[in-house]
Amino acid sequence: MHKHLLSISIILFLLSSNLLAQNSVKPWMGVHIEESKTQGVLIQKSVQGTPAFKAGLKSGDIVLRVDKTEVNSPKALIKAVTSKGVGHKVEITFLRNNKKQSATLKLEAMPGMLELAKRNLLNRPLPDLKFDNIKPR
């Protein structure tokens, strides 16, 4: 009898811990956005390796909806995304070249700044630096 209660308690603890972790960590798309001049939210840049990038969203796309929620401002888009939990899949409806399209995006936890810098800087070629104007002392 006690073994069953212990098993149930452990399962409930693990489930509640998972739900707490899911709700305390905010999901993100991985885009730089701005208000569109017409409708929706303009994607300025889709950061490489992020959920938006993996879903195929690109610079110039205009996000119209997250699932069935219309988004008309960056604040509304952020709210629609963060109201979902990490790991959830959402359907993003967007305009690309004036054609309505949709993509499924799996929400991930936003990495820390160090992790984000590593993603964007590691395994990239160094910039082409020229030192023609430097003279020895």
Side-chain angles (χ1 to χ4, degrees):
M1 176 81 170
H2 292 297
K3 286 183 183 180
H4 293 300
L5 286 175
L6 181 59
S7 296
I8 291 171
S9 296
I10 290 171
I11 290 169
L12 288 174
F13 172 76
L14 292 173
L15 287 172
S16 64
S17 296
N18 187 32
L19 288 172
L20 181 62
Q22 234 181 3
N23 290 330
S24 64
V25 176
K26 298 293 182 197
W28 80 317
M29 291 176 57
V31 290
H32 298 270
I33 55 176
E34 68 179 50
E35 204 150 324
S36 172
K37 293 179 180 17
T38 55
Q39 61 180 327
V41 179
L42 176 67
I43 295 178
Q44 292 178 324
K45 180 182 180 185
S46 181
V47 179
Q48 189 170 3
T50 63
F53 186 86
K54 292 173 190 173
L57 294 171
K58 299 179 180 182
S59 297
D61 289 345
I62 298 173
V63 178
L64 303 173
R65 283 195 309 271
V66 175
D67 287 334
K68 295 182 192 266
T69 304
E70 284 190 30
V71 292
N72 289 312
S73 69
K75 185 176 180 178
L77 176 57
I78 293 166
K79 183 178 178 182
V81 169
T82 57
S83 71
K84 310 291 181 179
V86 170
H88 282 81
K89 290 183 180 180
V90 294
E91 183 177 358
I92 305 294
T93 303
F94 62 97
L95 289 176
R96 179 178 292 158
N97 300 323
N98 292 319
K99 292 182 183 174
K100 196 178 279 192
Q101 299 184 34
S102 66
T104 301
L105 188 142
K106 184 176 181 185
L107 298 173
E108 296 176 7
M110 183 174 185
M113 293 307 289
L114 179 60
E115 179 62 29
L116 190 57
K118 283 180 185 178
R119 276 190 192 178
N120 288 318
L121 299 175
L122 290 180
N123 301 320
R124 306 254 188 243
L126 291 173
D128 186 22
L129 301 174
K130 297 189 184 211
F131 299 100
D132 296 339
N133 297 332
I134 297 177
K135 296 180 182 177
R137 292 185 174 192

